[in-house]
Amino acid sequence: MGMNLLAQADMIATAGSNGVSVSKHESMTQRAYRIIRADIISGARPPGERLRIEMLKTIYDIGPTPLREALQKLSTEGLVLALEKRGFMVSPLDLDEFSDLNIARIEIEKVALTRSIALGDSQWESRVVAATYLMNKEDAALLASGNGVSDVWEAANAEFHATMIAACGSKWLLQMRDHLQDMCERYRRSSISQSIRKTGDGKRDVGKEHAAISNAVLARDAGLACQLTESHYMKTLDRLKRDLKMVTKPKP
Amino acid sequence: MGMNLLAQADMIATAGSNGVSVSKHESMTQRAYRIIRADIISGARPPGERLRIEMLKTIYDIGPTPLREALQKLSTEGLVLALEKRGFMVSPLDLDEFSDLNIARIEIEKVALTRSIALGDSQWESRVVAATYLMNKEDAALLASGNGVSDVWEAANAEFHATMIAACGSKWLLQMRDHLQDMCERYRRSSISQSIRKTGDGKRDVGKEHAAISNAVLARDAGLACQLTESHYMKTLDRLKRDLKMVTKPKP
DNA sequence: CTTTTAAATATTACCGATAAAAATAAGGAT
DNA sequence: ATCCTTATTTTTATCGGTAATATTTAAAAG
């Protein structure tokens, strides 16, 4: 009847890392969406690149219909631009939009953080402690071997910040933050600041910043936690902004 | 060659009221997306309704491919649920999600309002004055003829609140607010509280609330403006929540 | 009454036809 | 002679039809 339909809908809605469910028998549309999305964010499909169906068909071995559906979805998200009667292209990078994106991301993060600190229970606190522990460890490892950030560090960092706001009480707030973060990530990855990741970030001690944020959160000092988080993000942002000037198209 | 492509892309991106561009030669996908979206928000397609392609094909006189593309887009937005190998359905209403949605909407609105008050210039101020003038007029007309809210009042109301946050300096923040508002609108319209719209809202003087908000905004008192806006939304929200208990599916 | 089997129904994805836009080539004007 | 305009060609996107696959409904047997 209509009831088990909804029950199974919940199962499907049980999503993976980025709101993308990973079923065994994934539909072609889902598959195309997931892969192309990852390729755009990672920079494998560079900004401004035209996404011709024939071309994608041979690359991903997926038919034209699921490809179009995936691209339409991505255009709703803003990662792809749908040009009337002229197909699709990867959304170009734009320095102004990057500022815009970061403003929105940081503001929403602060709101979520404030709410999380106000609403979080003991179980959430323990999650914070656990994430902080792992983050500390990875930060120390990062500092020791000057090889720059690793994938495990990236994962710990993502988990750290996600945990801080996890108790904000609004899935939509979290979803919007995730979306904005993905959009920002594309700018970060597309920038030539990969070199920065290798060389490290100058005199900056990210570990101390993380520890300070964690302390403020556990002390339930929302104002301080927001302030620290904002400047934490701003530091990397300023660096990126400088580097991005070269890879974004100049304004007309 | 490649350049005017981007230039024209900007033209297409020049959107109408709800981020939906209305071109003369609208593609079938766009058409389907626009119409079905409006039908879902308005309640013409009720929550939980299965959206069978064959059915939609005859109703909207649009082929299956553009219909599927439109439904995929709507599923990205959250208005439609895509069930693996089981087609699409209008996302069911859920009281918890409604709370969630409103939390996010009000929080983002407050952030945008604070920023708008901090950043708005004289031109924005004049827009605020203009919108307030129209709103006042419509509020008075509403109070005089006890016929309940009209479409022109709704338009004035939307414009009023949009103007207050217009100077927030982040298109993404505004876009997310718009999206959340559309999602909330579906709950409002689907509720039986149409009766409330007809009977009026009790002893509540919406005109005074609007005036107070406008004054706080023009006085650049962000704290007060946020507080007033929040309670303004909360008042209608509480009413709605009561009524929605009947139309949303009970939790298992 | 539950479980299994079979028919019908719907969704998914590929293919081909149509139509639109970009590229190229030709002609005329300054 | 060069540049702009116009016409033709080629490429490419869009859309509806259709076959294959999975699922749901219904019926029958245990």
Side-chain angles (χ1 to χ4, degrees), chain A residues 2-3 5-7 9-10 172, chain B residues 40 45-50 78-83 88-98 101 183 186-187 190 244 247-251:
Chain A
M3 222 43 196
L5 192 88
L6 275 177
D10 284 339
W172 276 91
Chain B
I40 290 175
R45 306 251 140 255
E49 186 187 72
R50 293 200 62 180
L79 284 167
V80 161
L81 233 51
L83 309 167
F88 303 89
M89 71 186 281
V90 180
S91 293
L93 296 186
D94 178 74
L95 206 58
D96 286 341
E97 200 199 32
F98 187 49
L101 233 30
M183 295 295 289
R186 191 168 71 103
Y187 282 83
S190 293
L244 275 173
V247 292
T248 55
K249 65 171 175 115
K251 294 255 102 178

Side-chain angles (χ1 to χ4, degrees), chain A residues 8 25 84 86 100 170, chain B residues 8 25 84 86 100 170-171:
Chain A
Q8 292 181 35
H25 280 304
E84 212 165 332
R86 252 163 300 166
D100 187 323
S170 168
Chain B
Q8 291 180 37
H25 283 303
E84 213 166 330
R86 254 162 295 165
D100 188 322
S170 169
K171 286 175 188 170

Side-chain angles (χ1 to χ4, degrees), chain A residues 140-173:
Chain A
L142 177 68
L143 208 66
S145 75
N147 289 342
V149 297
S150 60
D151 284 346
V152 283
W153 184 90
E154 297 259 30
N157 187 51
E159 171 65 14
F160 177 80
H161 290 293
T163 302
M164 299 297 146
I165 63 175
C168 77
S170 168
K171 285 175 189 171
W172 276 91
L173 222 43

